[in-house]
């Protein structure tokens, strides 16, 4: 289990905010911490080292211009790594994080169709200023987001977002009642907090 976050804002110091969110996610990843800042965007990551215990598995991970933060495990990453290497790609670490990023570079957004596992990740291309976010099909690895004013924020847990926006600490009654009536949990985009999806 790791913790990831991302923020885009032209009005706030995104590096400080990503570090603050990391603090509230630290219990998810006690083995390391990192922050990437590029203009109005920042990614944060707290790491639980499992597959690649070396610094080669540290995140945010960068290859050429692309950056990724990742929580989860790609169970078939060895098979994907072999497939990538057969096309001439030189995977440098023993990390499924690198395989995930290189899969995105090889197959674009359809890379997730090849993944067997549970994941939540954010990828950023600073040249095209394009971001791609994904979570696994059953939301085993959670990913919450909010669009508040001019700022977009994403995190592994709502409490990291509530640190930035305490005013969002309001119960989403629709989600609460659906849970109480139907035991429906995460069956849509609503969270238990109004304004956090």
């Amino acid at each position: 289990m790791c913790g990831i976050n991302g923020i885009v804002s032209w009005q706030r110091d995104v590096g400080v905010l990503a570090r603050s969110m990391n603090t509230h996610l630290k219990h998810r990843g006690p083995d390391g911490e990192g922050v990437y800042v590029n203009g109005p965007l920042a990614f944060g990551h707290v790491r639980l080292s499992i597959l690649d215990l070396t610094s080669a598995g540290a995140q945010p991970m960068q290859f050429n211009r692309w950056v990724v933060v990742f929580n989860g495990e790609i169970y078939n990453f060895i098979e994907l790594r072999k497939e990538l290497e057969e096309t001439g790609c030189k995977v440098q670490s023993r990390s499924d994080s690198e395989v995930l990023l290189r899969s995105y570079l090889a197959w674009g957004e359809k890379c997730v169709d090849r993944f067997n596992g549970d994941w939540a990740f954010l990828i950023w291309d600073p040249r095209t200023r394009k971001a791609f976010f994904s979570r696994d099909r059953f939301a085993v690895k959670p990913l919450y987001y909010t669009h508040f004013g001019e700022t977009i924020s994403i995190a592994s847990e709502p409490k990291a977002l509530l640190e930035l926006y305490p005013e969002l600490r309001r119960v989403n009654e629709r989600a609460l009642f659906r849970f109480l009536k139907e035991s429906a949990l995460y069956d849509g985009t609503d969270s238990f907090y109004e304004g956090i999806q």
Side-chain angles (χ1 to χ4, degrees):
M1 179 172 70
C2 296
I4 63 175
N5 69 74
I7 184 165
V8 177
S9 179
W10 287 265
Q11 301 169 335
R12 304 175 78 179
D13 186 334
V14 292
V16 168
L17 297 177
R19 285 181 190 86
S20 175
M21 286 194 283
N22 274 358
T23 300
H24 292 276
L25 298 171
K26 190 69 174 171
H27 63 282
R28 297 180 68 90
D31 298 329
E33 179 178 355
V35 171
Y36 166 85
V37 178
N38 183 289
L41 175 132
F43 280 173
H45 186 269
V46 292
R47 181 180 185 204
L48 178 63
S49 302
I50 296 176
L51 291 179
D52 188 340
L53 305 181
T54 71
S55 61
Q59 296 183 47
M61 184 178 284
Q62 291 182 255
F63 283 101
N64 297 326
R65 67 181 194 256
W66 290 274
V67 182
V68 65
V69 288
F70 167 53
N71 171 35
E73 185 176 356
I74 305 301
Y75 305 137
N76 62 330
F77 85 98
I78 293 172
E79 293 86 353
L80 292 171
R81 176 185 179 139
K82 183 178 179 190
E83 190 175 348
L84 289 164
E85 288 175 337
E86 287 171 355
T87 66
C89 178
K90 296 190 187 314
V91 180
Q92 300 169 352
S93 72
R94 295 186 308 268
S95 168
D96 55 348
S97 304
E98 180 181 356
V99 170
L100 183 150
L101 180 56
R102 290 187 181 269
S103 295
Y104 175 75
L105 300 180
W107 302 303
E109 295 177 9
K110 294 208 174 278
C111 66
V112 297
D113 296 337
R114 296 172 180 255
F115 295 160
N116 175 9
D118 49 60
W119 68 84
F121 66 83
L122 318 174
I123 294 176
W124 171 248
D125 180 349
R127 189 170 75 192
T128 62
R129 300 178 69 83
K130 181 180 178 185
F132 178 58
F133 311 148
S134 177
R135 67 155 173 80
D136 63 84
R137 296 161 189 91
F138 297 105
V140 174
K141 299 301 182 198
L143 197 58
Y144 295 88
Y145 67 93
T146 186
H147 186 193
F148 194 79
E150 299 276 328
T151 303
I152 299 169
S153 307
I154 303 164
S156 295
E157 295 182 10
K159 70 172 152 184
L161 299 173
L162 293 170
E163 169 63 18
L164 303 184
Y165 314 104
E167 57 271 32
L168 294 179
R169 198 176 298 272
R170 297 184 317 270
V171 173
N172 180 338
E173 292 181 0
R174 182 178 59 247
L176 177 62
F177 292 142
R178 192 167 56 240
F179 174 72
L180 293 173
K181 180 180 177 188
E182 304 167 10
S183 297
L185 183 63
Y186 306 129
D187 66 337
T189 60
D190 285 341
S191 79
F192 287 123
Y193 295 96
E194 196 69 52
I196 296 179
Q197 305 298 311

